[in-house]
């Protein structure tokens, strides 16, 4: 994949040198802008759906299912691991959060590795295993959506791309549900299954045509595109557009990464990085990682709470996919962040009432209501849309690194914050969700149905 070389041009909306034009394929000069050529190249010309396309998408999102299983694992497994291995709270906080450190490493390496190879002690070993999972999913959350976008026809790209987030949610919900019935060691083994399916499936799916074109493997490039679009399809126009695209990217590799931090690019970085920062500071990963202990703190059996959460996650995720292309990204983000603000306030209030003898009976009800509301509102908006906007604005590895770094801060500190004040923790999270509402209202543009040029223009409107 060409992600590292395209990182700057697509993030900034300037795909080549300023004011540069590119001759059209018929030899005429300057008739089409370079961005027009790139927009055409980034969207396949045909709309055919083939079994190979479905198989390729399924195999790629098996990694996302594994990612979801890893996210949800630490919550139902917490009690068993701490009791069986005698882990202290700091030791378990390290275990729970160390996956995000691996994610940082994976985010840093993902672009280079994808560009090179293509798309496709008990406590100590426990930590090493989770760190390794983090490195793997740090790459997966980068490579999978890009691979799907590169192989999918233009008219179906949205629905195929959203399958990535659906599988993440499904993996998390599945782990929440079955983790209440089976030991933590067995639960870990189950999480291996989608990885094995993906490893086997990768032998039967084609490489990304764009990466093959970039690597100069012309025959394989055409064969891959033909395989994905169908043997009877005409791929000549799409193939020519991709070749134009790759030629421009080769020139783009000469630009320097530090140029991204110039003033004219600041808003693109603020929007992409800001959404990821606020997503994680709002406690999304921390609440998911430690949902079981939150329920227990509120006097709710963790098994009951996790089962309720697992039952609402998948339908809510499907609802979010349905709404995204109808109501738009920005309105959903505003609704989602507002709902999370209310939900976290409700959770904070429930822990306040726990200290009042006459009202402490309300704590379990309010906490369950709050965490379910938080799960619903997060899933329909803040869970997946920041990744969608990142893909549309092409913020790349840099924004993913921001996400994983903030996730580590959030997940490692969460247990300590809960020891400091359970109510205070959720009031802080409510405040961050409120700040997210303001951030989206002031800075985030609507990207639904817009070209890359229009998106970038709206992101740089005040520069």
């Amino acid at each position: 994949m060409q992600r590292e070389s395209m990182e700057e041009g697509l993030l900034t909306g300037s795909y080549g040198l300023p004011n540069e034009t590119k001759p059209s394929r018929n030899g005429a000069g300057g008739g089409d802008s370079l961005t027009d050529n790139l927009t055409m190249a980034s969207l396949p010309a045909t709309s055919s759906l083939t079994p190979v396309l479905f198989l390729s998408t399924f195999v790629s999102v098996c990694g996302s299912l594994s990612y979801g299983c890893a996210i949800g694992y630490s919550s139902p497994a917490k009690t068993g691991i701490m009791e069986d291995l005698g882990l202290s709270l700091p030791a378990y906080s390290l275990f729970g959060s160390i996956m995000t450190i691996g994610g940082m490493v994976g985010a840093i390496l993902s672009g280079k590795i994808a560009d090179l190879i293509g798309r496709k002690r008990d406590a100590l070993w426990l930590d090493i295993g989770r760190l390794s999972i983090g490195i793997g999913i740090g790459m997966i959350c980068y490579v999978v959506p890009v691979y799907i976008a590169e192989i999918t026809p233009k008219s179906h790209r949205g629905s195929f791309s959203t399958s990535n987030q659906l599988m993440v949610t499904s993996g998390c919900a599945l782990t929440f549900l079955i983790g209440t019935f089976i030991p933590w060691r067995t639960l870990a083994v189950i999480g291996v299954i989608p990885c094995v399916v993906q490893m086997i499936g990768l032998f039967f799916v084609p490489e990304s045509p764009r990466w093959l074109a970039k690597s100069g493997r012309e025959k394989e490039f055409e064969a891959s595109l033909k395989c994905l679009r169908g043997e009877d399809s005409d791929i000549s126009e799409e193939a020519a557009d991709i070749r134009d695209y790759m030629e421009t990217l080769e020139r783009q590799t000469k630009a320097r990464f530090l140029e991204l931090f110039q003033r004219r690019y600041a808003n693109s970085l603020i929007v992409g990085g800001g959404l990821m920062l606020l997503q994680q500071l709002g406690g999304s990963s921390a609440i998911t990682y430690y949902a079981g202990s939150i329920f227990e703190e509120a006097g709710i059996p963790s098994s009951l709470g996790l089962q309720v959460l697992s039952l609402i996650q998948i339908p809510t995720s499907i609802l979010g996919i349905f709404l995204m292309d109808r109501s738009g990204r920005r309105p959903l983000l505003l609704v989602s962040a507002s709902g999370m603000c209310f939900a976290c306030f409700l959770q904070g209030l429930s822990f306040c009432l726990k200290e009042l003898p006459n009202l402490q009976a309300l704590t379990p009800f309010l906490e369950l209501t709050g965490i379910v509301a938080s799960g619903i509102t997060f899933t329909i908006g803040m869970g997946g849309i920041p990744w969608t906007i990142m893909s549309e604005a092409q913020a790349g590895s840099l924004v993913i690194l921001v996400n994983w770094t903030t996730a580590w801060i959030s997940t490692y500190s969460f247990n300590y914050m809960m020891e400091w004040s359970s109510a205070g923790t959720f009031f802080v999270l409510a405040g961050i969700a409120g700040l997210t509402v303001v951030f989206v209202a002031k800075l985030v543009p609507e990207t639904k149905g817009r070209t890359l040029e229009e998106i970038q223009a709206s992101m740089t409107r005040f520069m």
Side-chain angles (χ1 to χ4, degrees), residues 33-197:
S33 69
L34 185 56
T35 51
D36 288 337
N37 287 333
L38 285 170
T39 303
M40 290 174 60
S42 64
L43 300 175
T46 65
S47 59
S48 57
L49 298 178
T50 63
V52 174
L53 178 62
F54 282 102
L55 175 64
S56 300
T57 302
F58 168 75
V59 169
S60 63
V61 297
C62 280
S64 302
L65 181 64
S66 180
Y67 176 19
C69 291
I71 292 174
Y73 177 76
S74 61
S75 185
K78 180 179 179 181
T79 301
I81 290 176
M82 292 186 71
E83 290 179 354
D84 290 356
L85 302 183
L87 295 187
S88 63
L89 181 63
Y92 192 80
S93 294
L94 175 63
F95 166 73
S97 65
I98 201 170
M99 187 175 76
T100 59
I101 298 176
M104 295 179 214
V105 177
I108 293 170
L109 299 178
S110 57
K112 287 294 184 185
I113 290 177
D115 207 27
L116 289 172
I117 67 173
R119 312 312 197 224
K120 331 192 317 186
R121 286 169 59 164
D122 285 345
L124 177 61
W125 282 111
L126 203 66
D127 290 342
I128 292 173
R130 193 151 173 90
L131 177 66
S132 301
I133 291 171
I135 294 173
I137 63 176
M139 297 179 185
I140 283 172
C141 70
Y142 174 93
V143 175
V144 169
V146 177
Y147 175 74
I148 293 174
E150 289 187 346
I151 67 172
T152 309
K154 165 185 174 180
S155 56
H156 299 281
R157 175 168 291 145
S159 57
F160 274 74
S161 296
T162 50
S163 65
N164 177 54
Q165 182 61 32
L166 176 61
M167 293 301 280
V168 173
T169 303
S170 299
C172 184
L174 179 67
T175 305
F176 276 177
L177 183 62
I178 64 177
T180 60
F181 300 107
I182 63 176
W184 60 272
R185 290 182 174 88
T186 307
L187 186 62
V189 173
I190 290 176
V192 175
I193 295 174
C195 300
V196 174
V197 172

Side-chain angles (χ1 to χ4, degrees), residues 71-72 74-76 172 176 283-292 306 313 378:
I71 292 174
S74 61
S75 185
C172 184
F176 276 177
S284 59
S285 292
I287 292 174
T288 303
Y289 285 15
Y290 306 120
L306 292 176
Q313 280 189 312
F378 176 79

Side-chain angles (χ1 to χ4, degrees), residues 369-388:
T369 302
I371 202 167
V372 168
S374 178
I376 291 174
T377 54
F378 176 79
T379 302
I380 66 170
M382 286 298 293
I385 293 178
W387 295 97
T388 301

Side-chain angles (χ1 to χ4, degrees), residues 155-324:
S155 56
H156 299 281
R157 175 168 291 145
S159 57
F160 274 74
S161 296
T162 50
S163 65
N164 177 54
Q165 182 61 32
L166 176 61
M167 293 301 280
V168 173
T169 303
S170 299
C172 184
L174 179 67
T175 305
F176 276 177
L177 183 62
I178 64 177
T180 60
F181 300 107
I182 63 176
W184 60 272
R185 290 182 174 88
T186 307
L187 186 62
V189 173
I190 290 176
V192 175
I193 295 174
C195 300
V196 174
V197 172
Q198 186 178 50
M199 289 175 63
I200 296 173
L202 287 173
F203 289 100
F204 302 96
V205 300
E207 179 55 83
S208 162
R210 282 173 175 77
W211 181 81
L212 291 170
K214 177 182 181 295
S215 302
R217 295 155 66 172
E218 192 66 21
K219 289 184 179 180
E220 294 173 74
F221 156 60
E222 293 187 358
S224 174
L225 195 58
K226 197 77 173 176
C227 180
L228 287 164
R229 299 294 178 259
E231 291 300 322
D232 298 329
S233 62
D234 181 7
I235 63 169
S236 57
E237 182 180 354
E238 183 177 0
D241 288 336
I242 291 174
R243 290 187 186 100
D244 286 350
Y245 186 42
M246 293 304 120
E247 290 173 9
T248 302
L249 290 171
E250 286 300 316
R251 294 194 301 273
Q252 188 64 35
T253 58
K254 299 177 182 178
R256 296 190 308 168
F257 177 77
L258 291 178
E259 290 178 0
L260 286 174
F261 298 94
Q262 294 178 4
R263 185 176 181 272
R264 64 182 180 274
Y265 305 145
N267 205 32
S268 294
L269 289 171
I270 289 171
V271 171
L275 282 174
M276 293 300 189
L277 184 76
L278 290 167
Q279 181 198 66
Q280 293 299 336
L281 286 181
S284 59
S285 292
I287 292 174
T288 303
Y289 285 15
Y290 306 120
S293 60
I294 295 172
F295 284 128
E296 291 176 356
E297 179 75 14
I300 304 169
S302 62
S303 58
L304 173 62
L306 292 176
Q307 288 167 15
V308 171
L309 270 183
S310 68
L311 292 175
I312 61 100
Q313 280 189 312
I314 296 177
T316 304
S317 183
I318 295 173
L319 176 63
I321 292 171
F322 178 79
L323 291 175
M324 187 183 297

